[in-house]
């Protein structure tokens, strides 16, 4: 065989492989960019709704005015309208109610954090006037941030240092900031303001986790009735959140993106909600995937996603470089 023929055969075999490799790499980059775009859009919609809820809550929080149930339901619907409208706009579904309903099916629950309690929002399928199934958001009764003290009394937290204690033996309420309450009634085991803050946070996240588990089970039943097959789990990283202000939490799971990826995103929207232990997933110029701490992301890398803990980062194949723990 002539040398030229060998070269031609080699090129015929190698060129398609190179082209296929480039195509796969381009597709991977496209999917990653698409995933980040939709994740960012979801976060932006939650941020907008959280900001709107914060402004609605300013009056009752600062003036001690509490809305009746009917008025509160209307406020909940206003916030939901802002959330869904922004989400439809950002996802390009503002004129497609069918696709918007499909999107809603991938959002099993939302949580609205108020000053003295939170409201869970889930979907119900009801019959519309023309007999078709209609997905309708339903607000659960507000659940207070409550904690049972060792003496059996009930402590009701707020999102600042004010609280109320219900004395079960005397049927009396005590109300005020932590220092005043501690001088007036027994708050054991909350023996310091630091423990007060710590237990408040763990109480809120534990209550939310419990209600979300119930909501997810109800949503799975709804999904089955609608003839769909979607799996839902509790969002990762909830215990790593510090809820300090009025806002909204939402998560989406298994939503199909244009490139075939499935979107899983978990977002909190509030000016004072602090995320702890966040790692930033990146890809450098050499194609290496590295998860950095928020304060040590170098320039020149491509940011792919936010990761809630080192375990998630390792599971997704990232090398971890967190300068905060060195």
């Amino acid at each position: 065989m002539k040398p030229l023929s060998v070269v031609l055969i080699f090129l015929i075999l190698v060129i398609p492989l190179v082209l296929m490799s480039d195509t796969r790499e381009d597709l991977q980059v496209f999917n990653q960019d698409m995933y980040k775009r939709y994740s960012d859009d979801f976060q932006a919609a939650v941020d907008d709704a959280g900001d709107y809820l914060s402004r609605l809550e300013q009056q009752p929080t600062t003036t001690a005015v509490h809305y009746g149930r009917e008025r509160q339901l209307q406020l909940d619907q206003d916030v939901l309208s802002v959330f869904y409208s922004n989400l439809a706009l950002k996802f390009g579904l503002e004129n497609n109610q069918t696709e918007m309903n499909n999107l809603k099916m991938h959002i099993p629950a939302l949580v609205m954090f108020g000053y003295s309690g939170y409201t869970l929002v889930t979907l119900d399928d009801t019959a519309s006037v023309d007999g078709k199934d209609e997905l309708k958001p339903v607000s659960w009764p507000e659940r207070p941030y409550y904690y049972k003290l060792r003496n059996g009394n009930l402590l009701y937290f707020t999102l600042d240092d004010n609280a109320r204690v219900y004395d079960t033996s005397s049927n009396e309420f005590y109300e005020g900031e932590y220092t005043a309450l501690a001088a007036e009634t027994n708050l054991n085991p909350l023996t310091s303001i630091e423990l007060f803050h710590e237990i408040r946070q763990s109480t809120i996240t534990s209550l939310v986790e419990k209600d979300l588990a119930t909501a997810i089970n109800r949503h799975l039943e709804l999904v089955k009735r609608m003839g769909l097959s979607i799996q839902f789990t509790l969002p990762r990283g909830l215990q790593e959140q510090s809820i300090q202000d009025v806002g909204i939490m939402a998560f989406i799971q298994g939503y199909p993106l244009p490139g075939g990826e499935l979107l899983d995103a978990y977002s909190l929207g509030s000016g004072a909600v602090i995320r702890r232990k966040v790692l930033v997933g990146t890809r450098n110029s050499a194609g290496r995937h590295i998860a950095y701490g928020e304060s040590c992301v170098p320039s020149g890398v491509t940011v792919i996603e936010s990761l809630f803990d080192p375990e998630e980062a390792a599971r997704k194949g990232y090398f971890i470089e967190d300068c905060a723990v060195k």
Side-chain angles (χ1 to χ4, degrees), residues 5 41 54 58 131 144 179 230 236 296 317:
S5 299
D41 286 345
S54 296
Q58 282 178 358
T179 304
I230 310 172
R236 293 179 56 85
C296 49

Side-chain angles (χ1 to χ4, degrees), residues 33-88:
D33 291 343
M34 187 68 64
Y35 194 97
K36 183 179 185 304
R37 178 198 135 194
Y38 275 83
S39 296
D40 290 346
D41 286 345
F42 186 75
Q43 177 68 64
V46 175
D47 286 339
D48 291 341
D51 179 69
Y52 185 71
L53 177 61
S54 296
R55 286 187 277 116
L56 288 180
E57 284 272 340
Q58 282 178 358
Q59 180 179 351
T61 299
T62 57
T63 64
V65 175
H66 297 283
Y67 295 125
R69 177 63 178 159
E70 184 176 345
R71 174 60 175 156
Q72 188 62 52
L73 284 173
Q74 181 58 51
L75 292 178
D76 293 347
Q77 291 301 316
D78 290 345
V79 174
L80 288 173
S81 178
V82 169
F83 173 67
Y84 287 129
S85 296
N86 283 341
L87 201 58

Side-chain angles (χ1 to χ4, degrees), residues 1 7 13 21-22 28 57 69 76 83 92 99 105 119-120 125 141 155 184 190 210 255-256 291 313:
M1 183 177 292
V7 172
L13 293 174
S21 177
D22 289 343
Q28 183 181 14
E57 284 272 340
R69 177 63 178 159
D76 293 347
F83 173 67
E99 285 301 317
M105 292 298 295
T119 300
L120 194 67
D125 54 334
L155 174 66
E184 194 171 8
L190 286 67
K210 182 178 178 181
Y255 181 69

Side-chain angles (χ1 to χ4, degrees), residues 175-216:
E175 187 169 0
E177 291 191 356
Y178 170 79
T179 304
L181 276 177
E184 194 171 8
T185 185
N186 184 4
L187 297 181
N188 195 32
L190 286 67
T191 54
S192 68
I193 188 64
E194 289 77 19
L195 280 172
F196 177 86
H197 292 156
E198 180 181 333
I199 292 179
R200 179 181 63 194
Q201 292 303 315
S202 63
T203 295
I204 293 173
T205 53
S206 295
L207 289 171
V208 170
E209 277 193 340
K210 182 178 178 181
D211 279 347
L212 278 179
T214 301
I216 288 174

Side-chain angles (χ1 to χ4, degrees), residues 107-182:
I107 307 174
L110 298 93
V111 182
M112 298 183 189
F113 294 101
Y115 176 68
S116 57
Y118 66 89
T119 300
L120 194 67
V121 180
T122 55
L123 290 177
D124 271 356
D125 54 334
T126 58
S128 61
V129 291
D130 57 2
K132 296 181 180 179
D133 287 337
E134 183 177 356
L135 296 177
K136 180 181 178 182
V138 176
S139 298
W140 296 25
E142 184 181 76
R143 182 185 288 278
Y145 309 126
Y146 72 94
Y147 175 81
K148 191 172 184 179
L149 299 169
R150 286 181 181 170
N151 57 13
N153 292 345
L154 295 178
L155 174 66
Y156 295 90
F157 291 107
T158 65
L159 292 181
D160 57 26
D161 290 345
N162 284 294
R164 300 176 72 203
V165 174
Y166 172 62
D167 191 316
T168 56
S169 60
S170 64
N171 196 32
E172 293 181 327
F173 280 95
Y174 301 91
E175 187 169 0
E177 291 191 356
Y178 170 79
T179 304
L181 276 177

Side-chain angles (χ1 to χ4, degrees), residues 294-312:
E294 286 185 299
S295 60
C296 49
V297 179
S299 59
V301 299
T302 301
V303 175
I304 299 173
E305 59 184 324
S306 293
L307 304 156
F308 289 107
D309 53 41
E311 180 185 345
E312 182 186 9

